[in-house]
């Protein structure tokens, strides 16, 4: 049967049939939940297998093969379906039996475990750098030749597919075009792999020591070792330990992302008896055959028995290029047809095995899911989920195996709804371990918080491809800030309102906000009915937040006792938003306690002692300052310190307002610190650019010493010039608001002044009219002190023009604390003014 002639159809749970493209597919009673079903690639009404009014659902999902670390492509799949599961359970009220498998027996696991073992053994050997490099070069060259052949094969398939598509009848062109598109995507993947090998070859040519060689080519070396020595690895514990390690890491990663755990976990290694029995029954039903100790599914006889093979991706049937990466041994002389696939694989040396009626072997890739899911769920499943790359061959083969197993019971549709998450793309390619372009979940969590990553996925269509990149981080931070500020603003607004004594009468503003809330609730419901459109829900919630902020702004402006904010209404709005966010897993809080749970805290909990300690310490400091009658600025500094240090550690955000009344908000201390660091970094960068501009635009002519070289002491970079030095190193300090320059000379200053004379020593930079800031100078030694006094007196007597371009240097004493000092030395050339550091006032 031609792949283009396969009719895609779906049987509703009530038994009626739907054919792809029919207008009747979307017909459903008002208020029906619609889901995008991969069996038709259309939105169809969702009805449980147990009946329209039932709230019981069965759901099976494929876990990744645990052979490597989990990456963001996995997060895309499992967080996405965690969100969908939460909506179905927490919003629509379904009771779900959620089953997840663990593939701990598979070709990928065997290969990776064996290669890692052989590579470790090779590294323990006494090989010279030259021997390691020679072996690595051979390994990379072999991989290059193999990959170049794969790329050529993919290119040939595209040419043939184009010819077939052009010659096809009009009603077949759509399916063939999808095949062509995917084959062209496969070329991109194969070309990317070839480019990586070429890069490794180039880098290997420059590598000298073994450590560098392994860093460049360890994967290729491991592959070559496996080709030569793989059969020597017979210890089955090596494979189990490898799978167990990555299973544990995957579970930890899912926990860190807030993914709910399954109700049932099924490991392949623990269901071997059930898998063998499942294969036996398919053989007995005439839809599988044994060949040289292996068992293959008979796709030809499966069709002859009235079944359809390739329901999910008919255009991929028979194409090795479009088969998922895990489908090994696609072409073999043991199979009757190239579309047949292995149910049981005869054991080979260097692989784990189990006993079976056909001899020692292990399960094929697909049979595990059909057998384990059937054992727990039976012959009819509501929902099956996975990534889009699981369509073919994995999920198509699962369907075929289950229908063959339940053939005598009349099963022609084992799964009612197939839901596939869209790819996560990076730089135009699917994120994948095989493409070596993956970003691990743990790496991603260094840039994003778990909440931000979940926000990123909630704001996407679950069944469409999405692009991952650091550019998303700024958008997610802004979205998170909008939500956090919303809850904090409501908390601040209702905090001081006494619900018993204050006026409770609603004004026009309250009626408007209440109507907005009701409209949003209806819109959110409609969005969720429409294929669980979480992105539209978030946009709708954002509109509600904006309306609430406008309401609060109006109330602040009016500040009328007769028309205060209405806490009950605000809490209702906040509770609804919290409910929706909690349902998506964005916040971990009960619905009757609005806001982010990580911003909670109070005097009654463990943080209470910390708040009291901070208050007591601040009171002690203020009392001490009052006793000593210090400058009022010191008291202000103490106030800033408790705001910026003590309260931050306790998760309190204290915000000053123009009316002099500060407000407090609770937040995660790490978040507040990160924001302060970001603001400090931004301010520092702005200051640096400002001073660079000043340095570029403003040059001061000095008759005797015409340039200086700036050497970095703190955090800002100032240009350096290499010219002949004199014996006058100095430290320059500049007030950012004025341009007052304070210069600290080295110990050579006294001799320098004595030699040159006070009138002839050039000043560095520009002195503003605020001369008072320099009057309190003290010098390093008595000679410097005398010079400073002379200078002050002469400026006061206007004997020296403070606005001229040539002035004496000003000094301050040794040991004075400054912030942001720069060591500079006078040199020949043009001096650039304006060191970006703070001034020091001497007493």
């Amino acid at each position: 049967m031609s792949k283009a002639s396969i009719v895609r159809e779906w049987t509703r749970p009530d038994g009626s049939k739907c054919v792809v493209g029919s207008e009747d597919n979307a017909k459903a009673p008002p208020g029906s939940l619609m889901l995008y079903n991969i069996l038709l690639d259309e939105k169809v009404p969702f009805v449980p297998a147990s009946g329209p009014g039932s709230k019981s659902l069965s759901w099976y999902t494929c876990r990744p093969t645990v052979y490597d670390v989990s990456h963001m492509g996995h997060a895309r799949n499992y967080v996405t379906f965690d969100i969908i599961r939460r909506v179905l359970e927490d919003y629509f009220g379904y009771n779900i039996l959620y089953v997840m498998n663990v593939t701990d027996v598979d070709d990928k696991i065997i290969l990776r475990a064996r290669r890692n073992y052989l590579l470790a053994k090779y590294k323990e050997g006494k090989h010279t750098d030259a021997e390691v490099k020679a072996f690595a070069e051979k390994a990379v060259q072999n991989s290059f030749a193999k990959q170049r052949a794969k790329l050529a094969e993919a290119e040939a398939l595209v040419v043939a597919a184009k010819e077939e598509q052009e010659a096809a009848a009009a009603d077949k062109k759509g399916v063939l075009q999808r095949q062509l598109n995917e084959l062209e995507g496969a070329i991109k993947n194969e070309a990317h792999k070839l480019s990586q090998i070429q890069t490794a070859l180039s880098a290997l040519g420059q590598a000298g020591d073994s450590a560098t060689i392994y860093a460049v080519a360890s994967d290729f070396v491991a592959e070559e070792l496996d080709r030569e020595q793989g059969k020597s690895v017979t210890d089955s514990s090596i494979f189990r330990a490898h799978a167990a390690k990555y299973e544990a890491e995957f579970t930890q990663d899912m926990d860190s992302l807030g993914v709910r755990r399954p109700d049932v976990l099924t490991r392949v290694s623990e269901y071997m008896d059930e898998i063998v029995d499942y294969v036996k029954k398919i053989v007995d039903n005439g839809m599988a055959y044994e060949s040289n100790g292996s068992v293959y599914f008979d796709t030809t006889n499966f069709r002859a028995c009235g079944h359809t093979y390739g329901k999910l991706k008919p255009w991929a049937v028979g194409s090795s290029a479009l088969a998922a990466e895990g489908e090994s041994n696609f072409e073999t002389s043991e199979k009757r047809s190239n579309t047949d696939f292995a149910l049981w694989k005869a054991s080979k040396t260097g692989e784990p095995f189990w006993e079976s009626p056909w001899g020692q072997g292990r399960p094929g890739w697909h049979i595990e899911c059909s057998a384990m899911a059937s054992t727990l769920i039976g012959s009819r499943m509501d929902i099956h989920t996975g990534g889009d790359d699981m369509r073919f061959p994995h999920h198509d083969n699962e369907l075929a195996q289950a229908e063959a197993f339940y053939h005598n019971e009349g099963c022609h549709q084992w799964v009612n709804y197939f839901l596939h998450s869209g790819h996560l793309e990076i730089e135009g390619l699917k994120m994948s371990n095989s493409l070596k372009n993956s970003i691990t979940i743990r790496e991603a969590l260094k840039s994003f918080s778990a909440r931000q990553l979940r926000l990123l996925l909630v704001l996407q269509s679950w069944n469409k491809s999405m692009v991952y990149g650091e550019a998303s981080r700024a958008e997610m931070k802004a979205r998170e800030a909008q939500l956090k500020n919303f809850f904090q603003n409501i908390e601040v607004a209702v905090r001081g309102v006494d619900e018993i004594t204050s006026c409770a009468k609603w004004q026009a503003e309250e009626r408007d906000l209440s109507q907005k809330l009701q409209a949003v609730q209806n819109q959110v419901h409609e969005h969720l009915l429409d294929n669980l459109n979480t992105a539209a829900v978030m946009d709708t919630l954002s509109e509600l937040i904006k309306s609430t902020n406008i309401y609060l702004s109006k109330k602040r402006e009016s500040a009328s006792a007769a028309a205060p904010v209405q806490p009950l209404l605000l809490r209702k709005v906040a509770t609804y938003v919290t409910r929706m966010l909690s349902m998506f897993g964005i916040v971990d809080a009960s619905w009757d306690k609005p806001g982010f749970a990580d911003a909670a805290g109070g005097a009654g909990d463990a943080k209470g002692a910390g708040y009291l300690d901070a208050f007591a310490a601040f009171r002690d400091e203020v009392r001490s300052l009052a006793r000593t009658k210090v400058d009022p600025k010191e008291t202000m500094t103490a106030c800033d310190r408790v705001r910026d240090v003590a309260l931050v550690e306790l998760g309190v955000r204290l915000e000053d307002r123009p009316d002099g009344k500060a407000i407090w908000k609770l937040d995660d201390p790490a978040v507040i610190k990160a924001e302060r660091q970001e603001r400090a970094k931004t301010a520092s960068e702005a200051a640096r650019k400002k001073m660079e501009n000043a340095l570029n635009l403003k040059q001061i002519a000095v008759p005797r010493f015409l340039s200086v070289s700036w050497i970095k002491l703190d955090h800002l970079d100032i240009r350096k010039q290499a010219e002949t030095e004199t014996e006058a190193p100095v430290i320059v300090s500049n007030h950012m608001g004025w341009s007052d320059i304070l210069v600290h000379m080295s110990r050579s200053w006294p001799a320098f002044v004595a030699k040159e004379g006070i009138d002839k020593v050039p000043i560095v930079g520009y002195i503003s009219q605020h001369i008072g800031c320099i009057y309190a100078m003290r010098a390093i030694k008595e000679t410097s002190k005398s010079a400073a006094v002379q200078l002050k007196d002469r400026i006061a007597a206007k004997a020296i023009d403070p606005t001229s371009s040539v002035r004496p240097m000003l000094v301050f004493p040794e040991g004075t604390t400054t912030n942001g000092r720069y060591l500079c030395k006078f040199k020949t050339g043009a001096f650039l003014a304006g060191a970006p550091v703070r001034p020091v006032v001497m007493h």
Side-chain angles (χ1 to χ4, degrees):
M1 179 182 292
S2 167
K3 59 177 74 80
S5 63
I6 295 175
V7 177
R8 301 188 69 191
E9 60 182 20
W10 169 64
T11 302
R12 292 174 183 251
D14 64 6
S16 59
K17 288 191 177 295
C18 298
V19 179
V20 66
S22 172
E23 295 181 356
D24 294 334
N25 295 345
K27 286 185 177 180
S32 296
L33 172 62
M34 305 293 290
L35 289 180
Y36 190 89
N37 193 348
I38 299 300
L39 283 162
L40 285 182
D41 272 318
E42 294 178 11
K43 285 191 283 190
V44 298
F46 178 73
V47 179
S50 49
S54 174
K55 287 294 182 181
S56 296
L57 299 180
S58 56
W59 183 336
Y60 182 86
T61 190
C62 291
R63 202 176 196 181
T65 302
V66 286
Y67 77 101
D68 206 342
V69 293
S70 302
H71 54 70
M72 280 303 299
H74 297 129
R76 162 58 165 159
N77 182 48
Y78 296 102
V79 176
T80 293
F81 287 120
D82 179 69
I83 293 166
I84 290 178
R85 177 188 178 188
R86 287 168 179 265
V87 174
L88 292 177
E89 289 181 332
D90 299 348
Y91 187 85
F92 289 108
Y94 286 107
N95 301 310
I96 299 174
L97 176 65
Y98 192 83
V99 183
M100 176 182 282
N101 81 305
V102 177
T103 301
D104 60 348
V105 179
D106 181 78
D107 291 343
K108 290 182 179 180
I109 295 171
I110 293 169
L111 286 174
R112 183 60 63 87
R114 201 166 59 198
R115 289 172 181 179
N116 286 355
Y117 174 80
L118 292 171
L119 180 62
K121 286 293 184 183
Y122 183 79
K123 288 181 177 180
E124 292 173 1
K126 296 180 179 180
H127 303 288
T128 65
D129 290 343
E131 290 172 338
V132 173
K133 185 169 185 176
F135 188 81
E137 287 177 338
K138 180 181 76 169
V140 179
Q141 289 287 0
N142 286 342
S143 294
F144 180 79
K146 180 179 177 182
Q147 186 58 35
R148 187 166 55 184
K150 288 184 69 175
L151 178 59
E153 179 184 358
E155 291 171 339
L157 288 172
V158 167
V159 172
K162 284 182 178 178
E163 293 175 352
E164 183 180 6
Q165 199 269 344
E166 290 171 358
D171 61 333
K172 312 298 182 187
K173 285 185 178 293
V175 169
L176 293 175
Q177 184 60 50
R178 296 189 72 164
Q179 179 195 48
L180 177 59
N181 292 343
E182 292 202 20
L183 286 171
E184 288 174 340
I187 286 183
K188 287 176 61 177
N189 292 342
E190 301 303 337
H192 177 74
K193 293 177 184 178
L194 186 63
S195 173
Q196 288 181 321
I197 298 173
Q198 289 172 321
T199 300
L201 271 175
S202 177
L204 194 57
Q206 305 297 319
D209 61 283
S210 294
T212 305
I213 295 167
Y214 287 130
V216 170
S218 60
D219 286 348
F220 303 104
V221 171
E223 185 179 356
E224 189 67 21
L225 289 169
D226 187 62
R227 189 178 296 114
E228 296 179 359
Q229 306 172 32
K231 293 182 179 180
S232 67
V233 181
T234 57
D235 184 356
S236 60
S237 66
I238 294 173
F239 309 110
R240 179 62 200 134
H242 185 92
K245 173 181 184 294
Y246 289 110
E247 178 188 340
E249 287 191 10
F250 173 81
T251 301
Q252 292 165 5
D253 289 341
M254 293 301 102
D255 287 346
S256 69
L257 294 174
V259 174
R260 288 178 179 174
R261 294 211 176 175
D263 299 317
V264 187
L265 194 67
T266 60
R267 293 188 184 92
V268 175
S269 58
E270 297 173 351
Y271 280 77
M272 207 57 68
D273 290 343
E274 288 81 357
I275 291 172
V276 169
D277 289 344
Y278 208 85
V279 174
K280 286 171 60 179
K281 186 172 180 180
I282 296 175
V283 172
D284 292 343
N285 287 346
M287 282 170 270
Y289 56 90
E290 185 271 340
S291 178
N292 295 327
S294 295
V295 179
Y296 293 95
F297 189 86
D298 190 338
T299 55
T300 302
N301 203 36
F302 178 71
R303 294 187 184 105
C305 290
H307 297 279
T308 299
Y309 178 65
K311 292 180 177 180
L312 303 177
K313 201 173 184 179
W315 56 92
V317 174
S319 172
S320 60
L322 296 185
E325 297 157 0
E327 180 74 348
S328 63
N329 197 24
F330 197 90
E331 299 292 342
T332 173
S333 58
E334 294 178 351
K335 298 192 299 183
R336 296 174 181 172
S337 167
N338 71 332
T339 60
D340 294 351
F341 55 91
L343 301 180
W344 185 265
K345 296 182 177 182
S347 68
K348 299 177 183 177
T349 307
E351 294 180 353
F353 60 84
W354 287 260
E355 298 296 335
S356 80
W358 316 282
Q360 294 177 341
R362 57 187 172 85
W365 176 24
H366 319 292
I367 192 66
E368 61 185 68
C369 291
S370 299
M372 295 188 298
S374 294
T375 299
L376 292 165
I377 296 174
S379 61
R380 205 172 184 197
M381 185 191 305
D382 285 299
I383 300 173
H384 194 322
T385 55
D388 192 63
D389 53 348
M390 292 290 100
R391 277 195 187 212
F392 182 84
H394 188 53
H395 287 168
D396 260 326
N397 288 355
E398 274 189 59
L399 280 175
Q401 291 164 163
E403 289 179 19
F405 180 82
Y406 290 113
H407 173 71
N408 293 331
E409 288 90 329
C411 177
H412 285 268
Q413 183 173 283
W414 182 50
V415 176
N416 285 341
Y417 299 88
F418 258 109
L419 312 183
H420 286 158
S421 61
H423 287 311
L424 184 69
E425 296 183 350
I426 181 168
E427 296 180 353
L429 295 170
K430 181 191 78 169
M431 187 178 290
S432 166
N433 282 327
S434 66
L435 294 175
K436 294 182 172 61
N437 65 347
S438 60
I439 297 171
T440 69
I441 291 172
R442 299 181 186 194
E443 289 171 340
L445 286 173
K446 294 176 182 178
S447 300
F448 295 81
S449 67
R451 178 182 292 141
Q452 290 165 355
L453 286 176
R454 190 170 281 261
L455 272 171
L456 178 66
L457 296 173
V458 167
L459 290 165
Q460 307 292 326
S461 296
W462 62 265
N463 58 314
K464 295 180 181 178
S465 295
M466 61 174 286
V467 177
Y468 175 86
E470 287 299 315
S472 304
R473 183 169 176 258
E475 181 185 352
M476 293 311 104
K477 286 181 67 177
R479 285 276 193 164
E480 183 181 37
Q482 181 199 38
L483 296 170
K484 188 175 296 183
N485 290 335
F486 164 72
F487 291 124
Q488 291 173 342
N489 290 339
I490 287 183
E491 171 61 23
V492 169
V494 304
R495 187 183 299 149
V497 180
D498 188 334
E499 296 177 18
I500 303 299
T501 61
S502 65
C503 179
K505 183 179 181 181
W506 276 18
Q507 305 296 325
E509 292 90 344
E510 282 77 26
R511 290 192 291 273
D512 289 344
L513 183 57
S514 179
Q515 290 172 5
K516 179 66 175 180
L517 173 59
Q518 294 174 29
V520 164
Q521 290 171 328
N522 292 332
Q523 290 167 15
V524 164
H525 185 68
E526 292 301 318
H527 291 321
L528 291 176
L529 289 176
D530 183 16
N531 195 36
L532 308 174
N533 191 344
T534 59
V537 169
M538 291 301 295
D539 288 340
T540 304
L541 292 179
S542 183
E543 290 301 317
L544 176 60
I545 289 171
K546 291 176 183 176
S547 296
T548 306
N549 289 337
I550 291 172
Y551 168 80
L552 291 173
S553 179
K554 288 180 178 179
K555 289 297 181 179
R556 280 196 300 267
E557 291 172 1
S558 63
S560 171
V565 297
Q566 295 300 320
L568 298 178
L569 174 59
L570 287 174
R571 288 199 183 98
K572 182 175 183 179
V573 173
T575 298
Y576 176 72
V577 174
T578 302
R579 179 193 175 195
M580 293 299 103
L581 298 180
S582 176
M583 179 182 67
F584 293 152
I586 294 170
V587 302
D588 184 15
S590 59
W591 297 350
D592 59 343
K593 293 182 179 179
F596 290 167
D598 55 15
D605 62 18
K607 289 184 178 180
Y611 297 138
L612 296 175
D613 288 343
F615 174 77
F618 174 63
R619 178 177 179 273
D620 292 343
E621 185 172 8
V622 172
R623 283 165 55 84
S624 176
L625 292 171
R627 289 193 188 101
T628 56
K629 297 180 180 179
V630 297
D631 189 323
K633 292 182 179 177
E634 293 295 329
T635 305
M636 297 298 294
T637 300
C639 292
D640 291 345
R641 189 159 45 247
V642 74
R643 177 195 64 195
D644 298 339
V645 180
L647 291 180
V648 167
E649 292 295 336
L650 295 168
V652 178
R653 185 193 301 276
L654 196 63
E655 297 179 356
D656 296 325
R657 286 197 167 180
D659 60 5
K661 297 179 180 179
I663 61 170
W664 57 265
K665 301 176 179 178
L666 297 180
D667 207 338
D668 182 354
V671 172
I672 304 175
K673 289 178 184 178
E675 289 177 358
R676 290 187 177 277
Q677 290 171 357
E678 189 69 25
R679 285 198 297 268
K681 181 180 178 181
T682 301
S684 175
E685 180 67 14
R688 184 185 68 80
K689 290 182 178 179
K690 179 178 179 181
M691 296 317 302
E692 279 187 352
N693 292 336
L695 291 172
N696 290 331
L697 296 174
K698 187 174 183 181
Q699 295 190 354
I700 298 178
V702 180
R704 189 173 174 81
F705 303 100
L706 299 178
S707 80
V708 307
S709 171
W710 300 85
I711 302 174
K712 179 178 178 183
L713 293 187
D714 266 343
H715 60 285
L716 298 174
D717 293 321
I718 303 296
R719 63 188 62 191
K720 295 181 180 180
Q721 300 178 17
E723 306 222 10
T724 305
E725 300 181 4
T726 69
E727 297 179 353
V730 296
I731 293 178
V732 177
S733 178
N734 176 33
H735 192 287
M736 297 302 296
W738 305 333
S739 292
D740 304 300
I741 306 301
L742 305 177
V743 184
H744 184 187
M745 296 296 292
S746 72
R747 295 187 178 184
S748 62
W749 163 252
F752 186 78
V753 171
K755 177 181 178 182
E756 298 295 333
I758 188 67
D759 294 330
K760 295 183 178 180
V761 177
I763 186 170
V764 182
Y766 170 75
I767 297 181
S768 75
Q769 298 301 315
H770 298 275
I771 301 172
C773 70
I774 63 171
Y775 280 180
M777 294 296 109
R778 290 190 299 177
I780 300 172
K781 295 182 179 179
E782 287 300 318
T783 53
S784 300
K785 183 175 181 180
S786 298
V789 172
Q790 292 176 42
L791 178 60
K792 182 191 72 171
D793 292 342
R794 296 183 70 170
I795 291 177
K798 298 185 179 180
I800 298 176
D801 180 4
T803 63
S804 65
S805 61
V806 180
R807 289 174 292 278
M809 284 191 175
L810 310 180
V811 300
F812 57 84
E814 185 176 23
T816 302
T817 301
T818 63
N819 182 16
R821 295 180 182 174
Y822 282 81
L823 178 66
C824 69
K825 296 185 179 182
F826 286 98
K827 297 179 179 180
T828 304
F831 167 66
L832 303 178
V837 288
R838 294 170 55 187
V840 176
V841 177
M842 313 315 288
H843 298 285

